[in-house]
Amino acid sequence: AYVVDNVVIDYFASASATPTPTPTPTPIPGLGMSDDFTGTTIDTNKWVVTPGGGTITQNDVLTMTGPGTWSQTYMIATSIFPRTDGAGGVLRFTHDVGSTSGSHFLMGFYAGGVPADPPLYGFYYNAGGVLNPKQGGSQTNDTADDDIRVRCTLDPVQGALWERDLKEGAGWETIRDTRWEGGDTSSEYSFFLMAYGDAYVVDNVVIDYFDPASATPTPTPTPTPIPGL
């Protein structure tokens, strides 16, 4: 038996079904740090600078050139960052990357000490134009050109969300998400930037906290039927 009831065929205005845009997460003030690298002097209140066999200079952007070896040319944030702020906010970092041609670089959250590959939660870029979201020894591949923005947001317990903005109008795009798959569960992290070879250009580093609930989409409204048809 095929039992059917209440079949309705009608018309509705498509504008009435337009979803409300997803709001941008709201940063929570008080914790974290930021640096737009204005001027020519690196702020040593924010960074421990280790040129190693390479060079690290600032001129309204930060430029790092490594000696062709990891763990030689790097900067470490002077602060230690808890995974959560105790008020519903979770830890994330954002920064702009420019002039990546020929570069190999790493950045992200790690356990402290001399930074090395891999970060616990971060990014690796190689000179072939591949941006790798890295979680410990696990990584995925994503293409990226010069002049991009990257962001990594930790889950309150384990895992993270990796995003990139190619600055072509599409905005933030998810390239990896392990928030329900596991990962390091440390309660606090250090943060580093590291260059392997050719110039790694950094700008607008922001480490902050936000409430994930502030990014919850508003439900899509129910379409309004148009009477008479």
Side-chain angles (χ1 to χ4, degrees):
Y2 171 30
V3 180
V4 182
D5 195 9
N6 298 320
V7 173
V8 177
I9 300 173
D10 61 3
Y11 295 78
F12 70 94
S14 59
S16 69
T18 301
T20 301
T22 301
T24 301
T26 303
I28 296 176
L31 292 175
M33 60 90 77
S34 63
D35 198 338
D36 61 6
F37 303 105
T38 298
T40 58
T41 303
I42 296 172
D43 188 344
T44 53
N45 291 317
K46 297 179 178 179
W47 302 102
V48 176
V49 182
T50 304
T55 61
I56 302 176
T57 59
Q58 179 176 309
N59 188 6
D60 293 331
V61 294
L62 183 76
T63 302
M64 307 174 69
T65 302
T69 305
W70 290 122
S71 301
Q72 296 293 315
T73 302
Y74 57 86
M75 296 193 357
I76 302 170
T78 56
S79 298
I80 302 296
F81 304 100
R83 189 179 194 116
T84 64
D85 68 352
V90 294
L91 179 63
R92 68 178 176 182
F93 76 81
T94 307
H95 86 68
D96 293 352
V97 182
S99 301
T100 54
S101 178
S103 297
H104 290 264
F105 58 79
L106 282 164
M107 93 287 284
F109 296 122
Y110 77 117
V114 176
D117 184 21
L120 294 172
Y121 296 105
F123 289 92
Y124 163 60
Y125 184 92
N126 72 36
V130 179
L131 181 69
N132 303 118
K134 293 187 73 87
Q135 177 174 294
S138 170
Q139 69 182 43
T140 58
N141 297 334
D142 189 79
T143 57
D145 299 317
D146 289 3
D147 193 22
I148 60 174
R149 183 177 292 116
V150 295
R151 181 163 71 192
C152 181
T153 305
L154 301 191
D155 178 82
V157 179
Q158 61 183 359
L161 170 69
W162 289 260
E163 299 168 281
R164 60 109 192 257
D165 178 1
L166 299 180
K167 300 184 180 179
E168 297 173 349
W172 289 107
E173 301 172 287
T174 296
I175 56 176
R176 188 179 186 189
D177 191 349
T178 64
R179 290 174 293 177
W180 299 275
E181 299 175 7
D184 184 78
T185 60
S186 298
S187 61
E188 61 183 23
Y189 295 91
S190 297
F191 179 81
F192 76 96
L193 307 166
M194 182 193 299
Y196 176 90
D198 290 350
Y200 167 30
V201 179
V202 184
D203 201 7
N204 299 318
V205 171
V206 178
I207 300 171
D208 63 1
Y209 294 79
F210 74 96
D211 184 352
S214 70
T216 302
T218 302
T220 301
T222 302
T224 304
I226 298 176
L229 295 176

